[in-house]
Amino acid sequence: MNELLEIDDLVVRFRVVGMTKALLKGIRDPFIDAVLNVSFDVKEGETFGLVGESGSGKTTLGRAIIGLAPTKSGSIKFKGVELTTLGDGAFKQYRRNIAMMFQDPVASLSPRLTVRSLLAEPFKIHNMRDRDLDAEARRLLEMVGLNDSFFGRYPHELSGGQARRVGVARALSLEPKLIIADEPTAGLDVSVQGEVLNLLARLQSKLGLSYLIITHNLPVIRHVSDRIAIMYLGRFVEYGRTEEIFRHAAHPYTRALISAVPQPDPDLRREIVKLVGEIPSLANRPSGCEFHTRCPFARTECRESIPAQREIAPGHGHRCHFPLPEPEADAA
Ligand code: SF4
């Protein structure tokens, strides 16, 4: 499979204190790094999952890819074209290839627009007014299992599942190659979650789409992703093929996230790593391994030096000084 999206050593930095206030208060570093040294790619037709708790930087990373968060350094390439240095006009053209579905199916739709207007809006933004907008809206609704009886409804008149389908239809409007879906099943009943995931899978096989799925929901990510990356305080702490990560999570944070999910598989039930405390503030990064304040295996070295990224199998890497052994080795 060819690479569609390539991210290399990306840093997303926000100023959190104004220049004057920083000077007056003697604040030496008025910035926070919400994404730090992140590298990965998404291939054509692939689903890549970003996992982590709230505050891990996964949504910021998704927003940076579509130009909604400031990149400080690093590279974002789409089909080999560097996006971070494109001017506004050229970026807008490439931006059509990448759609984003935001969290909260109802709140992510403008409350003042009807479904028909919501679906017509992307064509207007991209000056494609020559299209038959009724026909386009009807076509998009059919793709997501709805019909034009929804044309006159406002978002608050839709169920969560219907709103999510409209969100998917809107994302499809400009025929993107990649859809970034932020918590695509959040706020939905379990049965509706399944319907939405099945819809995304059908659209992927029909249209050859790639997905970057952002979620804290491990069962969802395991179900849909080919590969995943686990984020903590803006860094990838582990990445690899989904099944390999679930079978052999080398990083204690990954193992803790997996432990927190009820497992029907007895092999996965053996290993319990408990996650204690809250994720630290980005403005107050712990020294060394940033997970050491919550890690049950932390040692002196963990507090003093940042773990380098290491690969333990082709495409499976982590950032931990003392990676966990494979579950089979534990049992021996
Ligand atoms: Fe835990 Fe140390 Fe590994 Fe960090 S480097 S995850 S603190 S064992």
Side-chain angles (χ1 to χ4, degrees):
M1 284 194 284
N2 297 325
E3 283 85 13
L4 189 64
L5 180 74
E6 294 168 274
I7 309 282
D8 187 36
D9 208 17
L10 190 72
V11 176
V12 176
R13 174 170 288 190
F14 293 104
R15 175 179 274 281
V16 284
V17 180
M19 216 177 316
T20 313
K21 191 172 173 189
L23 277 173
L24 288 174
K25 299 216 161 191
I27 298 171
R28 280 193 305 172
D29 187 2
F31 297 96
I32 57 165
D33 292 324
V35 174
L36 252 184
N37 308 119
V38 161
S39 302
F40 71 107
D41 60 56
V42 182
K43 301 186 192 315
E44 288 178 359
E46 182 185 39
T47 299
F48 193 100
L50 286 178
V51 190
E53 295 166 284
S54 174
S56 61
K58 55 194 191 308
T59 295
T60 303
L61 175 53
R63 292 173 67 87
I65 293 167
I66 58 165
L68 292 180
T71 55
K72 176 183 175 281
S73 58
S75 162
I76 303 173
K77 284 185 183 165
F78 186 84
K79 286 202 155 191
V81 175
E82 178 61 54
L83 299 187
T84 57
T85 52
L86 283 183
D88 288 350
F91 182 78
K92 197 174 168 189
Q93 285 306 310
Y94 271 93
R95 175 72 179 72
R96 286 173 51 174
N97 292 298
I98 309 173
M100 184 149 184
M101 288 164 48
F102 294 95
Q103 276 193 44
D104 192 331
V106 177
S108 61
L109 302 174
S110 174
R112 294 186 308 278
L113 296 181
T114 61
V115 167
R116 191 263 180 207
S117 300
L118 285 163
L119 297 178
E121 192 179 46
F123 296 101
K124 292 179 181 169
I125 291 171
H126 285 268
N127 294 321
M128 298 161 77
R129 292 162 193 273
D130 54 327
R131 302 280 184 104
D132 179 340
L133 296 183
D134 279 338
E136 292 289 359
R138 199 171 292 117
R139 177 181 67 82
L140 291 166
L141 283 178
E142 278 169 11
M143 288 175 83
V144 299
L146 301 175
N147 57 44
D148 57 12
S149 68
F150 284 84
F151 266 15
R153 293 208 207 168
Y154 288 89
H156 70 272
E157 297 173 308
L158 303 172
S159 69
Q162 289 165 348
R164 183 46 91 207
R165 283 173 189 268
V166 171
V168 174
R170 191 175 144 95
L172 292 172
S173 57
L174 301 178
E175 299 177 16
K177 306 276 186 295
L178 171 70
I179 292 183
I180 302 174
D182 192 0
E183 301 286 3
T185 57
L188 303 176
D189 293 343
V190 173
S191 63
V192 183
Q193 288 185 15
E195 289 173 17
V196 169
L197 295 177
N198 288 338
L199 171 66
L200 292 176
R202 274 202 308 279
L203 291 169
Q204 183 171 46
S205 64
K206 185 174 173 192
L207 304 173
L209 290 166
S210 302
Y211 292 126
L212 180 60
I213 306 277
I214 299 170
T215 185
H216 68 281
N217 187 324
L218 267 80
V220 164
I221 214 76
R222 186 176 191 184
H223 182 64
V224 301
S225 302
D226 300 299
R227 290 183 296 150
I228 59 174
I230 292 86
M231 288 189 79
Y232 191 76
L233 285 183
R235 286 189 208 274
F236 279 9
V237 295
E238 188 157 10
Y239 59 87
R241 296 204 65 78
T242 307
E243 273 315 303
E244 184 168 341
I245 297 277
F246 274 84
R247 290 269 155 207
H248 174 208
H251 195 284
Y253 180 57
T254 313
R255 196 83 66 102
L257 292 179
I258 293 171
S259 298
V261 179
Q263 297 289 348
D265 182 340
D267 281 350
L268 297 177
R269 233 184 276 150
R270 271 200 321 245
E271 194 77 23
I272 302 289
V273 176
K274 284 217 168 106
L275 198 54
V276 291
E278 298 295 318
I279 191 166
S281 161
L282 284 170
N284 200 11
R285 284 180 178 277
S287 61
C289 168
E290 287 142 350
F291 185 58
H292 84 253
T293 55
R294 304 171 77 193
C295 180
F297 309 107
R299 306 182 208 174
T300 305
E301 186 179 346
C302 305
R303 290 178 258 284
E304 294 174 350
S305 70
I306 298 174
Q309 186 167 298
R310 295 189 186 91
E311 289 226 331
I312 50 174
H316 181 183
H318 65 79
R319 283 179 181 271
C320 175
H321 291 308
F322 308 103
L324 298 169
E326 290 194 44
E328 285 75 14
D330 293 346

